[in-house]
Amino acid sequence: MACKNNSQAELYTEVQSISTRLDGLRRTLDKFDTLFETLFDTMTLGFAKLKSESLQQADEISSAVGLALKRLEDESIKADVSWSPDGVNYVAGSATQGDEYNRPNNLMLGSLAHNRLLSLPDHRHRQSENNSSLAEPWIYDTVSTVRWSARGASREDLFFSAGFDGTVKQWAFSPVEGAATCELSYPHQDSVITMDLSAPAMGLLATATTHSTDSLRWYSIGDPKPEHIDLTDRKARSVTDFIMCLRFGQSAHNMNYLLSGFASRSVHQDRGPSTSGFLGMWRFDESRVTAINVSPNRQQIFDVAWSLSNDTFLAGQSRRRRAPYIDRSVVRLYSTKQEQMILQFDCPALDINEVGFCAFDENIVTASCTNRATYIWDMRRPDKIMHTLRHDRDAFASVRMEEDTGIRILQWGRSRSELFTGGSDGKLQHWDIRRNPDDVFVDTILDTGVEQMSGALSPTMNEFFIGDAAGSIHLLERSSYLTDEPPIQLDLVDETMVSASTSNNNINNENENDQDTDEAQAQGRQAARQLIESGIITMHPDFGPVQGPKYKPRRKKPQQQQPHSAEQQARNSEIERSKRKASVSLSGLDRILPITMGDASTSNGTHTGGPKYDPTFTQRVIDAAGPNAHPRVKEVVSSLIRHIHDWAREVDLTADEWWEGLKLINWAGQMTDAKRNEGQLVCDVIGLESLVDEITYKKASEAADVATQSAILGPFYRDNPPQLKKGDSISHNTPADAVVAYMYGTVVDAVTKKPLQGVKLDVWEASTNGLYEQQDDNQVEHNLRGQFTTDENGEYAWYCIVPTPYPIPFDGPAGKLLQVLDRHPYRPSHIHLIALVDGYKPLTTQIFDKNSKYLDDDSVFAVKDDLIVDFIDRKGDPKATKELRYDIALVPIPKQ
Ligand SMILES: [Fe+2]
């Protein structure tokens, strides 16, 4: 490809430049030798030291050049994987080469539901005449990045792939067929190095290419017309010529920001390869994109990562100590709210692959590096490395760090005791960072034998995808990767073996002198043949062995088993041994899909005999209440104790799990203030407030079944809203994308139907950006909020905006609960109302737009059919294009 050739030519020029300079250094060293002899008697020690330093400098510069060039190449061919939000499907992109190994498996779509792996070979170009030795007319290009739409996107069936063929492709996935069709292509002028999707609420796609003047673009998803991000005003052309990373914020705090890290390709005449670069940040407002400056920002940027809980982000950067030494790297913490960085963590590695926050505690920061180590810091002790997670450095002893790609995979599992790293030593390792530093390593989960290039846990954490440098995909189930027993990898099968198995031929023992090996191979082949014949494994024309129609992705935990006879145990151990030998004797082949066999997990819930726990304990706790406790308090709290004890026994609650729950409750309390009620939000996402509301409403409406239904208050109510007159607007800075509506109606007695005068009606709603005024500095105080009073006819009226869906704040414990439960945070479009008047039951409710998304899966379970309304077109009113009539019926309080 032309761009790749250009890139190689530039790299070649850089290497030439450095070679020339190294020659100069060697000549200098020769002169040192001459001087050394002349002045030996008087300056032996001094010159020896000087010579040593010069040699060291030459070596360091040489290494650094190699490293820089290697890294630029490696960054260009990073493999990638992305799961669908439901954790059932995945898409994987990989690097390719334009030679005889070029195959149409650069983009693959996997479906667990269909047990299927499909090739999507659309990122390709026709090979040139000069390369006609290849039978295949197409050259398949590297797919650098893949992204599946996130939970809450308007179309969760979409995924995107970016390729060196200069396109980003938009694919529509069909869950019924387990296949996808390319429905849109976003053309570029050069190889697309990386891309990213914004949070669903923004609907944006950003891309980065190697093009010299048009390297950074963004699109509205679904519209292939590009918008260009201007880099010329940075006065930094020389340091913005290679984009290393691109990340949109994904939380409510940062979803309108885009970060990009750049590296300079230049090589300084005296100081070797440049460590300069650029950290760019852009804010996406309604109609424009603004560059935001942070400092420092002129280092080479390896990777960036956004916080999910606040406005901060991390950047892994180079750091120069003093010329001509290339110092180590550094991880810096920044915020969108201030120009100067906040914190810095010194990293011992030369080069960082990936930085990130701990999924369970954002005080914990990670950097995965090319020296096969991952470093972990705690922000409360930024000067001290908390853990160094080092992979086996002896596995490829001949590989120097400068030529190594190091740790490429870092994934958090279901708690901070589940951290997984994988990379160039071919091992996927499990760490528990709660342990002390000497004991942090738990287990090696998978040894692929070749470099692991990409990896991702599914959103459900049930499957772990690993892609390796040989083009193989490894799909591990949770039940196997977290057991003490190592998963058995059936690394099947080369074509010779397939033909042997499918034609039911004999297996030749060619080497009579190595009977053990042959027996092991025979047993392994037999085991493999049985799996293929039974349909557990099937042969894919492109990818070799994959999961077959009889493959069962989730096995049941073993039931309480009868004791095996000695004969049965012997047979079982023989089968196990044969499987293991299959793994050993048939490994190392191209394009394999290892299938995890066996399940060493044990049932911890079965119990026979007497009571498992002290049967008197709960009653003793309940009986501890004294005689002066209020009867209702006693009733409520005793029941709570009974249920919570039963719950703990039912799930065998561990101390760790209890502690995590306790921290979540404490966290909710700490986050709660005058503007935010996080405890209430936690109750909302587990449905408690809606349930309490239903119970309360049932009681309130017993006397009148035509009363307006209630709904939860929600956490964004504020006391003392502004008093407004009939016909006023509650929208004081109406956004451009808002639709203004006129809402009116009559409040009546639910029994007599008579209009009620003097009813206080509180109304509040979120703006189109999904934020209530107290969450958003850009809205005036009390925007979209007010209190009205019904007139003598019981009527009310106001102008508002047609509501839009929004995510509840998911940067706190409520969001964490949603995340661990694999749920989205969105609420359907709604307006909040409270009606208050003497002599009637207070009414708190919400009304929902019938055209809104999420009516069926409201994150706080507040939707009721009777509360769904229809905004209709409004004619002849210059102030509004929609209108809604909504009458309210209040329940009278029975007179004593
Ligand atoms: Fe709301």
Side-chain angles (χ1 to χ4, degrees):
M1 246 164 68
C3 61
K4 202 161 184 174
N5 290 338
N6 285 344
S7 166
Q8 286 171 347
E10 286 179 36
L11 296 174
Y12 179 74
T13 305
E14 290 167 10
V15 170
Q16 288 288 89
S17 160
I18 287 304
S19 295
T20 305
R21 201 164 63 75
L22 285 172
D23 284 341
L25 261 171
R26 288 193 192 99
R27 283 195 293 277
T28 305
L29 291 169
D30 289 340
K31 287 176 187 172
F32 279 145
D33 279 337
T34 307
L35 285 166
F36 190 79
E37 287 173 15
T38 308
L39 302 173
F40 180 78
D41 289 338
T42 55
M43 301 182 71
T44 299
L45 290 175
F47 268 98
K49 185 166 182 287
L50 193 52
K51 181 179 178 181
S52 166
E53 285 184 355
S54 299
L55 283 168
Q56 187 183 347
Q57 286 174 16
D59 199 31
E60 286 194 15
I61 291 169
S62 175
S63 297
V65 171
L67 170 65
L69 300 184
K70 177 70 180 166
R71 189 179 59 241
L72 290 181
E73 287 176 9
D74 290 340
E75 286 297 327
S76 312
I77 58 167
K78 191 181 281 182
D80 201 13
V81 57
S82 183
W83 284 89
S84 61
D86 59 8
V88 176
N89 313 293
Y90 57 88
V91 58
S94 61
T96 65
Q97 296 179 7
D99 54 21
E100 66 267 29
Y101 299 109
N102 192 272
R103 286 174 186 158
N105 57 359
N106 53 346
L107 180 62
M108 290 182 288
L109 172 66
S111 169
L112 302 183
H114 293 265
N115 279 338
R116 186 184 289 168
L117 191 61
L118 291 176
S119 168
L120 304 174
D122 286 31
H123 288 281
R124 63 184 184 183
H125 64 276
R126 283 202 175 275
Q127 69 160 304
S128 67
E129 298 283 324
N130 302 337
N131 206 12
S132 56
S133 60
L134 300 181
E136 172 67 57
W138 297 100
I139 297 290
Y140 297 93
D141 296 294
T142 290
V143 174
S144 59
T145 321
V146 288
R147 291 279 186 276
W148 205 299
S149 292
R151 175 74 75 193
S154 57
R155 287 185 61 190
E156 293 181 2
D157 63 320
L158 291 186
F159 64 86
F160 299 81
S161 56
F164 279 21
D165 62 334
T167 66
V168 170
K169 297 193 186 297
Q170 176 176 315
W171 301 83
F173 177 74
S174 163
V176 176
E177 297 167 10
T181 51
C182 178
E183 60 175 29
L184 189 61
S185 188
Y186 302 76
H188 291 68
Q189 299 187 54
D190 218 330
S191 298
V192 185
I193 299 172
T194 186
M195 69 162 170
D196 199 28
L197 296 179
S198 70
M202 299 291 290
L204 302 179
L205 165 72
T207 63
T209 68
T210 50
H211 195 271
S212 57
T213 57
D214 177 22
S215 57
L216 200 52
R217 295 176 171 185
W218 60 274
Y219 298 82
S220 292
I221 288 175
D223 181 1
K225 178 177 162 295
E227 302 284 350
H228 305 276
I229 292 181
D230 185 11
L231 294 168
T232 54
D233 66 343
R234 301 264 115 208
K235 297 179 183 173
R237 274 301 329 149
S238 64
V239 297
T240 58
D241 53 11
F242 197 93
I243 296 181
M244 306 282 281
C245 52
L246 195 61
R247 290 283 175 193
F248 274 111
Q250 297 292 329
S251 80
H253 298 278
N254 49 36
M255 66 168 73
N256 58 332
Y257 286 88
L258 175 69
L259 284 174
S260 185
F262 298 80
S264 169
R265 280 178 171 153
S266 63
V267 177
H268 193 279
Q269 190 172 1
D270 297 323
R271 290 175 292 174
S274 172
T275 56
S276 59
F278 180 64
L279 175 60
M281 179 163 73
W282 291 269
R283 189 179 66 227
F284 286 66
D285 299 313
E286 279 172 17
S287 55
R288 65 199 173 107
V289 177
T290 311
I292 310 290
N293 200 43
V294 290
S295 179
N297 66 354
R298 293 303 175 94
Q299 290 70 41
Q300 196 166 91
I301 307 298
F302 304 124
D303 190 34
V304 292
W306 284 101
S307 161
L308 284 176
S309 65
N310 56 46
D311 50 35
T312 62
F313 62 90
L314 298 168
Q317 312 176 358
S318 60
R319 187 167 68 98
R320 184 186 294 276
R321 187 172 56 196
R322 59 184 169 85
Y325 292 99
I326 308 300
D327 201 0
R328 304 308 182 188
S329 50
V330 66
V331 180
R332 288 178 169 139
L333 179 76
Y334 298 83
S335 163
T336 58
K337 295 280 166 63
Q338 67 181 64
E339 185 169 333
Q340 277 296 322
M341 71 160 183
I342 302 168
L343 267 182
Q344 174 171 307
F345 311 93
D346 289 326
C347 180
L350 275 173
D351 198 0
I352 297 172
N353 283 331
E354 186 179 309
V355 293
F357 293 95
C358 170
F360 305 96
D361 180 355
E362 291 201 340
N363 286 310
I364 307 293
V365 168
T366 62
S368 298
C369 302
T370 54
N371 64 351
R372 294 188 176 173
T374 297
Y375 298 96
I376 299 185
W377 297 267
D378 187 325
M379 283 188 200
R380 292 156 289 206
R381 284 293 313 273
D383 56 325
K384 184 171 178 288
I385 292 173
M386 179 181 169
H387 287 296
T388 300
L389 313 182
R390 196 171 290 284
H391 275 236
D392 178 13
R393 300 187 68 163
D394 296 324
F396 292 87
S398 61
V399 179
R400 296 171 61 200
M401 183 174 80
E402 290 79 4
E403 296 163 349
D404 200 345
T405 51
I407 307 302
R408 281 190 175 270
I409 300 167
L410 186 144
Q411 293 279 294
W412 290 98
R414 289 184 176 168
S415 73
R416 73 179 68 193
S417 66
E418 295 180 11
L419 175 61
F420 305 101
T421 59
S424 54
D425 66 345
K427 289 180 177 162
L428 185 65
Q429 301 197 325
H430 175 192
W431 312 86
D432 181 352
I433 66 161
R434 298 173 312 170
R435 299 184 183 179
N436 73 49
D438 297 335
D439 191 32
V440 67
F441 173 71
V442 178
D443 199 4
T444 296
I445 293 166
L446 173 70
D447 190 346
T448 50
V450 292
E451 183 173 351
Q452 295 174 1
M453 302 293 285
S454 58
L457 275 164
S458 68
T460 59
M461 309 271 178
N462 285 332
E463 276 83 22
F464 205 146
F465 173 105
I466 302 292
D468 71 29
S472 305
I473 288 173
H474 308 256
L475 213 51
L476 304 181
E477 292 175 37
R478 181 177 174 83
S479 58
S480 63
Y481 69 72
L482 282 183
T483 56
D484 294 335
E485 194 75 14
I488 296 169
Q489 302 295 321
L490 284 179
D491 290 351
L492 307 172
V493 169
D494 68 1
E495 291 176 3
T496 315
M497 204 225 90
V498 175
S499 65
S501 66
T502 51
S503 61
N504 201 22
N505 282 344
N506 296 329
I507 297 166
N508 296 325
N509 290 339
E510 292 175 359
N511 187 352
E512 297 287 343
N513 297 328
D514 193 359
Q515 197 172 354
D516 280 353
T517 306
D518 286 343
E519 277 181 13
Q521 288 182 351
Q523 286 170 337
R525 287 182 177 121
Q526 190 175 3
R529 186 183 302 126
Q530 285 167 355
L531 286 168
I532 291 172
E533 288 172 355
S534 66
I536 294 173
I537 289 175
T538 189
M539 296 305 297
H540 187 282
D542 289 329
F543 311 116
V546 298
Q547 295 171 358
K550 296 286 176 58
Y551 173 69
K552 291 187 176 59
R554 290 183 181 80
R555 289 172 302 284
K556 290 179 182 170
K557 289 184 175 180
Q559 300 298 312
Q560 192 82 19
Q561 293 185 351
Q562 298 296 322
H564 291 306
S565 67
E567 185 188 355
Q568 179 69 38
Q569 285 177 359
R571 194 156 57 238
N572 287 348
S573 64
E574 184 59 33
I575 291 169
E576 282 300 304
R577 208 161 43 240
S578 109
K579 285 178 185 170
R580 289 174 192 284
K581 284 177 178 174
S583 167
V584 173
S585 60
L586 298 172
S587 61
L589 303 170
D590 191 18
R591 294 182 297 126
I592 50 179
L593 180 61
I595 311 267
T596 307
M597 299 296 295
D599 185 352
S601 64
T602 55
S603 169
N604 58 4
T606 54
H607 180 71
T608 56
K612 194 171 177 184
Y613 303 107
D614 178 358
T616 66
F617 177 69
T618 298
Q619 198 55 47
R620 280 194 283 127
V621 176
I622 291 171
D623 290 346
N628 296 324
H630 189 282
R632 176 63 176 162
V633 170
K634 215 166 171 180
E635 178 192 1
V636 170
V637 176
S638 297
S639 177
L640 175 67
I641 291 169
R642 187 172 299 110
H643 283 280
I644 215 161
H645 283 205
D646 284 347
W647 160 73
R649 283 186 286 259
E650 180 184 324
V651 301
D652 290 323
L653 192 70
T654 67
D656 280 353
E657 289 162 344
W658 167 75
W659 186 243
E660 290 296 321
L662 199 61
K663 279 193 295 185
L664 188 131
I665 293 169
N666 291 342
W667 185 14
Q670 288 153 6
M671 279 192 98
T672 297
D673 57 23
K675 290 187 170 183
R676 175 168 182 169
N677 193 328
E678 187 68 16
Q680 188 175 16
L681 204 55
V682 169
C683 290
D684 287 353
V685 301
I686 61 172
L688 184 58
E689 190 181 0
S690 279
L691 179 60
V692 171
D693 171 67
E694 184 188 3
I695 295 166
T696 308
Y697 172 78
K698 275 259 157 45
K699 286 189 157 190
S701 60
E702 277 165 359
D705 56 9
V706 289
T708 299
Q709 286 250 13
S710 61
I712 63 172
L713 177 69
F716 298 109
Y717 172 73
R718 288 184 69 183
D719 280 334
N720 301 317
Q723 306 289 317
L724 301 175
K725 298 193 305 295
K726 183 180 177 187
D728 281 350
S729 175
I730 60 170
S731 180
H732 305 302
N733 38 3
T734 307
D737 58 345
V739 176
V740 177
Y742 179 73
M743 182 169 165
Y744 66 103
T746 307
V747 182
V748 300
D749 182 307
V751 178
T752 67
K753 307 293 187 269
K754 282 187 179 168
L756 297 174
Q757 183 180 2
V759 180
K760 297 287 184 191
L761 277 177
D762 276 20
V763 55
W764 68 105
E765 63 176 329
S767 188
T768 54
N769 62 359
L771 298 174
Y772 286 86
E773 48 90 11
Q774 69 263 55
Q775 299 173 284
D776 186 359
D777 294 340
N778 293 320
Q779 293 183 49
V780 298
E781 180 89 354
H782 293 304
N783 186 41
L784 295 170
R785 188 184 295 279
Q787 187 178 72
F788 294 79
T789 308
T790 54
D791 64 13
E792 63 277 14
N793 299 317
E795 292 174 355
Y796 74 91
W798 58 66
Y799 287 93
C800 57
I801 62 174
V802 175
T804 47
Y806 67 81
I808 61 167
F810 48 90
D811 55 341
K816 183 56 71 179
L817 258 181
L818 292 175
Q819 184 190 339
V820 299
L821 292 171
D822 187 27
R823 285 171 43 191
H824 71 76
Y826 282 83
R827 297 219 54 212
S829 316
H830 63 274
I831 296 175
H832 293 266
L833 296 167
I834 289 179
L836 278 177
V837 66
D838 285 348
Y840 290 82
K841 300 264 189 189
L843 172 71
T844 302
T845 194
Q846 301 176 28
I847 51 174
F848 299 89
D849 182 358
K850 78 166 213 183
N851 296 314
S852 174
K853 211 178 165 191
Y854 310 112
L855 287 174
D856 294 329
D857 57 348
D858 181 2
S859 59
V860 301
F861 308 97
V863 180
K864 295 172 182 169
D865 288 346
D866 290 351
L867 297 176
I868 296 174
V869 298
D870 188 10
F871 288 85
I872 62 173
D873 289 340
R874 180 171 175 81
K875 302 279 186 327
D877 184 346
K879 292 196 283 188
T881 56
K882 292 281 183 184
E883 67 176 42
L884 171 68
R885 180 186 175 104
Y886 188 70
D887 295 332
I888 296 168
L890 298 181
V891 179
I893 298 171
K895 292 199 169 58
Q896 298 296 321

